[in-house]
Amino acid sequence: MLSNEQSLSIFALGGLNEIGKNMYAIEYRNEIILIDCGNKFPDESLLGIDLIIPDISYLIENKGKVKALLVTHGHEDHIGGIPFFLKKINVPVYATRFTLGLIELKLKEHKILSETELIEIDHRSHLTFNDITVEFFKVTHSIPDCLGIVFNTPEGKVVHTGDFKFDLTPAKQDEQSDIHKMAEIGKEGVLLLLSESTNAERPGSTPSEQMVGNHVEEVFTRAERKVILATFASNISRVQQVVDAAQKTNRKLALLGRSMVNVVEVAIERGYLTVPEGMIIDQQEINEIAPERVAILCTGSQGEPMAALARLSTGNFRGVEILPGDTVIFAAGPIPGNERSVTTIVDNFFALGAKVIYGSGSSSGMHVSGHGYSEDLKLMLTLMRPKYVIPIHGEYRMLHQHQLLAESVGVEKGNTFIMNNGDVLEIKNSMANQTRKIPAGNTYVDGIGVGDVGDLVLRDRKQLSEDGMLVIVVTMSKTEKRLIGRPDVITRGFVYVSDSEELQKEMNRLITITVNDLLESRKYQWNVMKQSIKKTIGQYLFKHTKSKPMILPIIIEI
């Protein structure tokens, strides 16, 4: 609950000190309005985990206060957690036309579309809640229909920028940022600005998307055989540039990857993508057309092992083969942490004899970021002129750099708050203080389970992956309370016991001694016996193998 019912509270359940699973909240009196609900993909340490979504336990406790979810744009790290959230708290979802199309795909998959209230908004929309009114402004990003949000509260204006950059020559002119409206909002006075920080460390301004279109067309013109281009499915501007290049070079276009097919269908249906009739072909038709007349647009630019690009690189995509002389283009920069996976796929393509164009935008010309560099962030700060700033959407070093940028353009020292998920900034009488914490963290999605996998399960999986498992089966006489035969030792992922005769003999001896000692002491409890076996064998194995396999004793009475 609020420490003071009259104060305005701002906090994040995801998106601070990290890139991914964005979720922010504005709370005043008896209403909470949420911004975005994204997911994050696990790293290699989270074995078996499919997705990471925000911990919404605080929202569930205050379910009656939650009035709406406002969505800034349609990237996975902003919409990927929505189905899981709505299953717990079903509130209206407000988003732009294209973003709603992507959300609908997810809700259909989770079979909750008919139960959800989806409300279309645009940059001209106004919403009214009890004590808060909301308006929007247009921003440029790497996906259509992106918004910044203005909350008019009794304490003052709170602005959330969404993800943005300033591009004066975007691929589509109607995707330009509404700089005039931003300036007007700033003139009216902004109490608090929540602004993204992804590229705060990069000097200068973000290059224009138009640069990519010119390079794509040039490569399509020079290519002698098939062209395979991988990018984010949601980057519709990039997809349109590929379509335009294919049209100019008289190529048919095949789409590989479920997300690419789904997103392109939504974009065409809602008027965000223009594709000439008859250009798109099925993947079965690729080999029926001369290679110099084929282009392939696919997913997997981040090295995802099951995505189309990875499977193409290993020759495991049925019916489509990469041959010497084909051109492969990575039209997306690797997200931090994905570099190794991307490099492996690049190497695979070189081994197949393909011409590979990869690297960051400045080196290959095939990608520009959708996030503003330091000059873009300074321009946003200058337009908004906030009293207080919370840098969001970035790792700690990025937030720190954004703080320095804010101070360089006039934000008073001490008025920029670098916070963690769950930290609460409370504002009363226009004075901001970081006061308390609420529960916030990661919820793991594992198959159909949400939140079922905790730290203990992950620790067990890590132990299994590193040192394997040892199953010890002990058979006892139920009436005589004595061992029957030798213990049976089964291993998985540990040394093959049949090939380690001395190890096997010594373990059998130690298990027999341990069980007999307990039986002589009349300690017949199974849990005591199991713990003693685990301790004895665990100490022996670590001493002789320096490994700590998971030990699972099983006692059978007959």
Side-chain angles (χ1 to χ4, degrees), residues 34 49 131 138 215 476:
L34 302 171
I49 301 301
D131 293 295
K138 191 187 291 188
H215 282 93
M476 292 177 58

Side-chain angles (χ1 to χ4, degrees), residues 118-137:
L118 299 177
I119 301 168
E120 186 177 320
I121 55 173
D122 62 23
H123 61 281
R124 296 177 292 268
S125 299
H126 285 78
L127 309 177
T128 302
F129 298 96
N130 292 337
D131 293 295
I132 298 172
T133 61
V134 183
E135 55 187 310
F136 304 89
F137 56 94

Side-chain angles (χ1 to χ4, degrees), residues 307-319:
L309 193 69
R311 287 156 58 206
L312 285 170
S313 78
T314 55
N316 290 321
F317 201 105
R318 191 171 60 187

Side-chain angles (χ1 to χ4, degrees), residues 335-351:
I335 293 169
N338 294 342
E339 294 89 350
R340 188 189 302 174
S341 303
V342 173
T343 301
T344 300
I345 292 175
V346 170
D347 283 346
N348 290 344
F349 281 122
F350 273 118

Side-chain angles (χ1 to χ4, degrees), residues 320-520:
V320 185
E321 193 176 3
I322 303 301
L323 297 170
D326 288 344
T327 300
V328 179
I329 303 168
F330 286 73
I335 293 169
N338 294 342
E339 294 89 350
R340 188 189 302 174
S341 303
V342 173
T343 301
T344 300
I345 292 175
V346 170
D347 283 346
N348 290 344
F349 281 122
F350 273 118
L352 293 172
K355 299 173 182 175
V356 189
I357 300 170
Y358 65 100
S360 62
S362 57
S363 61
S364 71
M366 291 297 171
H367 176 64
V368 295
S369 178
H371 302 274
Y373 289 11
S374 60
E375 293 301 317
D376 300 63
L377 302 187
K378 283 157 70 175
L379 178 54
M380 179 64 80
L381 287 159
T382 303
L383 290 168
M384 291 295 173
R385 296 187 280 184
K387 180 177 181 181
Y388 299 108
V389 176
I390 300 177
I392 61 171
H393 200 294
E395 294 164 357
Y396 190 87
R397 65 187 186 281
M398 302 166 188
L399 306 184
H400 177 72
Q401 186 60 36
H402 200 166
Q403 179 183 37
L404 299 179
L405 294 173
E407 290 170 1
S408 75
V409 296
V411 175
E412 191 176 319
K413 204 162 188 173
N415 281 6
T416 301
F417 295 89
I418 295 180
M419 296 164 51
N420 295 309
N421 296 326
D423 290 345
V424 179
L425 187 75
E426 289 191 350
I427 302 176
K428 184 172 175 59
N429 299 325
S430 297
M431 297 299 295
N433 291 288
Q434 204 172 314
T435 56
R436 60 193 172 96
K437 285 186 75 72
I438 60 169
N442 294 330
T443 298
Y444 299 123
V445 179
D446 184 356
I448 60 170
V450 180
D452 300 334
V453 177
D455 291 338
L456 287 174
V457 174
L458 289 172
R459 191 178 68 192
D460 286 348
R461 288 180 181 179
K462 190 170 188 294
Q463 186 179 3
L464 283 167
S465 72
E466 290 175 350
D467 294 316
M469 179 170 124
L470 202 73
V471 179
I472 299 169
V473 182
V474 176
T475 307
M476 292 177 58
S477 168
K478 190 172 184 179
T479 53
E480 299 176 22
K481 300 296 182 187
R482 65 176 179 83
L483 277 173
I484 300 175
R486 291 188 314 169
D488 192 12
V489 179
I490 304 160
T491 64
R492 290 292 182 271
F494 185 57
V495 296
Y496 188 48
V497 172
S498 297
D499 292 342
S500 306
E501 196 173 328
E502 289 303 315
L503 198 69
Q504 173 79 64
K505 281 182 182 176
E506 187 59 20
M507 282 196 292
N508 284 342
R509 189 182 73 82
L510 289 171
I511 295 165
T512 303
I513 290 171
T514 301
V515 173
N516 286 334
D517 285 350
L518 290 169
L519 292 174
E520 284 176 18

